[in-house]
Amino acid sequence: MTRKSGRWLPVRIDDLEKWQAGLLEQSASRLGAGLSPGGRIHRWGFVGSPVMFRGQRAWLRVSPFLEHEMSRKAWRGTAEAAAIPGVSKPALLHRIEWHADGSAPIPVSAEVLTLVTDPLASRERFLRTAPDLPADWFGDLSASLAALRAYPTDRRFPVHDAEEYGYLLSATYRRPVPSGCVPAFGTEHIDLNWENITAPRFQIIDMEHWCVAVSGYGAASLYLAALEVPAVAARVRAALADVLDTPTGRYAQLVAAALILRNLTRLPDPGGLAARLHDYTDTLLA
């Protein structure tokens, strides 16, 4: 089966949602988890549902590994993040891998996580309306990103190295990066966005994409993705100023802005985020 985008699954699937539901049911059976009747979520890369697992309400996330669509590092990112202390995120209760039957058996990951009851901060990656963000939300955000930065890793994803950053910044801005923007590297969440966190209690709900990156990248991404709501952006900046207002933090903002601008070439931009980013990065490049 091919999607409208032209990407393929390695087996013929006439009804993706039905196929995902079958994987979910098989995973629940293998884990001894009871599926709840409502709350199921289908996405291209996974299906999730509330479950009862070992006497408690939990969340079951089932992800088939699609070799030409996914990174194996991301596919196992949640499991590998389970050991990181101090990050507000769902706890991994149990995980199995199994293979779905078919002409080309597909690896399947089934992860049981503690159930998150707070809603997403946004239904989009980029913030367009202000969520309920109490003061302790910003404290938990700052503490979580600091704990992640302190956790050593050798996980790497494309683009996030000094050479690739150089190409990206040159192609995006067409002028030199100021000498006051100097990168340092550490552990960062490279997909931190407003539909990947909750409010009014802060949690990062998806820990697939964490790796070595320019220090401050996660903070920069979240701040820049809030620019359409200036009051929230200002509070994020104040909470993360110890990271953003440093040489590596300024470099991270240029990198994050460049990647957001690249994504906005194929995404709707009703609030003019691209123009805001260009205006803001002009001040960093001055």
Side-chain angles (χ1 to χ4, degrees):
M1 183 202 78
T2 181
R3 297 176 68 204
K4 290 181 180 179
S5 64
R7 289 178 281 186
W8 291 82
L9 283 171
V11 294
R12 180 179 176 82
I13 305 295
D14 294 314
D15 186 332
L16 178 64
E17 192 165 304
K18 182 178 179 181
W19 181 68
Q20 288 181 322
L23 298 181
L24 183 70
E25 290 160 6
Q26 291 179 67
S27 295
S29 177
R30 288 168 179 266
L31 288 161
L35 290 169
S36 298
R40 190 172 296 186
I41 293 176
H42 289 266
R43 296 289 186 269
W44 170 246
F46 74 92
V47 59
S49 172
V51 294
M52 286 297 296
F53 179 73
R54 297 176 181 172
Q56 71 177 88
R57 294 181 68 214
W59 181 258
L60 174 58
R61 188 179 193 273
V62 176
S63 305
F65 179 69
L66 310 177
E67 187 171 354
H68 301 295
E69 283 281 318
M70 295 178 172
S71 159
R72 196 171 290 273
K73 289 189 187 74
W75 189 59
R76 294 199 169 116
T78 299
E80 294 178 4
I84 305 174
V87 177
S88 295
K89 56 182 172 57
L92 180 66
L93 303 177
H94 196 61
R95 183 182 189 274
I96 60 172
E97 289 184 20
W98 58 281
H99 282 76
D101 293 335
S103 56
I106 297 174
V108 178
S109 163
E111 297 167 335
V112 185
L113 303 154
T114 51
L115 186 66
V116 175
T117 56
D118 286 79
L120 299 177
S122 171
R123 291 290 175 182
E124 300 178 72
R125 297 179 63 85
F126 310 122
L127 196 64
R128 298 203 163 98
T129 58
D132 177 16
L133 301 176
D136 59 0
W137 188 95
F138 294 92
D140 290 342
L141 164 66
S142 179
S144 292
L145 297 189
L148 183 58
R149 284 195 302 274
Y151 189 82
T153 187
D154 59 1
R155 288 168 56 88
R156 290 187 176 273
F157 285 91
V159 179
H160 292 278
D161 64 58
E163 184 177 16
E164 291 296 322
Y165 286 160
Y167 296 145
L168 173 69
L169 297 182
S170 177
T172 303
Y173 303 117
R174 303 291 182 180
R175 50 180 151 163
V177 172
S179 58
C181 295
V182 181
F185 286 80
T187 303
E188 293 286 330
H189 194 303
I190 60 168
D191 192 28
L192 196 64
N193 63 76
W194 289 92
E195 65 174 353
N196 193 22
I197 54 178
T198 61
R201 287 177 295 184
F202 175 81
Q203 285 199 72
I204 304 171
I205 61 168
D206 186 341
M207 288 295 297
E208 289 186 330
H209 293 87
W210 59 281
C211 65
V212 175
V214 57
S215 290
Y217 181 85
S221 296
L222 201 65
Y223 166 61
L224 297 173
L227 288 180
E228 290 183 53
V229 188
V232 173
R235 295 179 74 191
V236 171
R237 183 173 186 85
L240 302 176
D242 63 323
V243 176
L244 295 175
D245 294 338
T246 64
T248 188
R250 288 187 285 274
Y251 191 95
Q253 289 176 74
L254 289 173
V255 170
L259 289 172
I260 292 172
L261 287 167
R262 188 171 72 177
N263 287 336
L264 286 173
T265 62
R266 57 180 177 79
L267 295 174
D269 186 17
L273 179 58
R276 293 172 189 265
L277 288 169
H278 281 298
D279 289 343
Y280 180 68
T281 54
D282 281 345
T283 68
L284 293 176
L285 291 163

